[in-house]
DNA sequence: GCCAACGTTGGC
DNA sequence: GCCAACGTTGGC
């Protein structure tokens, strides 16, 4: 069992948007960074724990719990000339971008980026490293447990 | 809008 | 294969 943090821009796909989908499940489309892709393609397993994170918004932070809900498969948007995620170098025969489905299991309070930064046990989180831009990052079991504990508290 | 960080591109 | 220029991410 592995744990992950996955960023989504709520203007494009919020946790509420996913909850409104069938089975509260969404294909994690649009990743165009090789390291993030490789996490999905090579390391994610069914039912891995996922922190659903809202980025590029007024209050960035963890907003829900989710799980990996499929094995990897090609991201359809890479083949769609009308999509902003279209990749002319990808083909059906040689897809370049793989994704997994993510199922939201629970919406939580917003555990803000500022609150994450303020916690002594989370200073090593990849998300919090200076200059980090990765949209998918691994979370250690202690970090996962700490964050679940924070989510169980009322907002501070 | 600014800017730090870093990935990608393309000339050589 | 190097590396400068450029583009993107994402918080502030």
């Amino acid at each position: 069992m592995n744990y992950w943090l996955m960023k989504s821009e709520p203007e494009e796909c919020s946790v509420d948007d996913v909850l409104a989908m069938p089975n509260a499940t969404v294909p994690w489309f649009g990743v165009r960074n090789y390291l993030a892709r490789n996490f999905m393609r090579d390391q994610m397993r069914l039912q891995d724990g996922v922190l659903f994170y809202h980025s590029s918004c007024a209050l960035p932070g963890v907003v829900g719990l989710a799980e990996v809900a499929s094995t990897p498969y090609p991201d359809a948007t890479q083949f769609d000339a009308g999509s902003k995620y279209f990749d002319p170098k990808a083909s059906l025969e040689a897809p370049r971008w793989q994704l997994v489905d993510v199922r939201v299991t629970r919406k939580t309070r917003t555990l803000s980026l500022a609150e994450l930064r303020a916690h002594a046990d989370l200073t090593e989180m990849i998300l919090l490293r200076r200059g980090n831009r990765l949209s998918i990052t691994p979370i250690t079991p202690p970090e996962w447990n700490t964050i679940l504990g924070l989510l169980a508290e009322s907002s501070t």
Side-chain angles (χ1 to χ4, degrees):
Chain A
M1 178 86 157
N2 294 313
Y3 301 102
W4 308 94
L5 181 143
M6 300 177 78
K7 295 181 189 174
S8 183
E9 299 187 9
E11 288 197 2
E12 177 161 38
C13 183
S14 72
V15 68
D16 288 323
D17 292 336
V18 179
L19 283 170
M21 292 177 185
N23 299 317
T25 300
V26 67
W28 207 260
F29 62 90
V31 169
R32 295 294 180 267
N33 170 279
Y34 287 105
L35 188 48
R37 177 204 67 181
N38 292 350
F39 284 141
M40 291 196 283
R41 187 189 66 185
D42 304 332
Q43 291 190 236
M44 288 192 181
R45 297 293 178 265
L46 282 173
Q47 298 185 311
D48 275 0
V50 173
L51 301 171
F52 196 109
Y53 181 93
H54 279 175
S55 67
S56 296
C57 57
L59 186 60
V62 175
V63 294
L65 298 177
E67 64 182 12
V68 174
S70 78
T71 52
Y73 64 96
D75 179 343
T77 63
Q78 72 191 300
F79 310 123
D80 177 0
S83 168
K84 70 174 182 174
Y85 298 117
F86 177 63
D87 183 347
K89 293 177 180 170
S91 66
L92 285 169
E93 298 74 27
R96 176 172 293 205
W97 305 105
Q98 303 272 121
L99 52 67
V100 296
D101 288 345
V102 172
R103 185 172 75 88
V104 173
T105 51
R106 181 158 71 85
K107 188 179 175 181
T108 64
R109 75 181 179 91
T110 298
L111 174 53
S112 71
L113 177 60
E115 196 176 343
L116 292 169
R117 284 197 192 284
H119 200 286
D121 294 339
L122 298 176
T123 55
E124 298 302 311
M125 278 183 74
I126 295 170
L127 173 78
L128 305 182
R129 288 186 194 160
R130 187 177 173 81
N132 167 72
R133 297 182 300 163
L134 257 187
S135 66
I136 299 176
T137 54
I139 298 288
T140 67
E143 288 165 355
W144 176 266
N145 290 330
T146 297
I147 288 167
L148 286 203
L150 290 172
L151 288 170
E153 298 172 7
S154 57
S155 186
T156 50

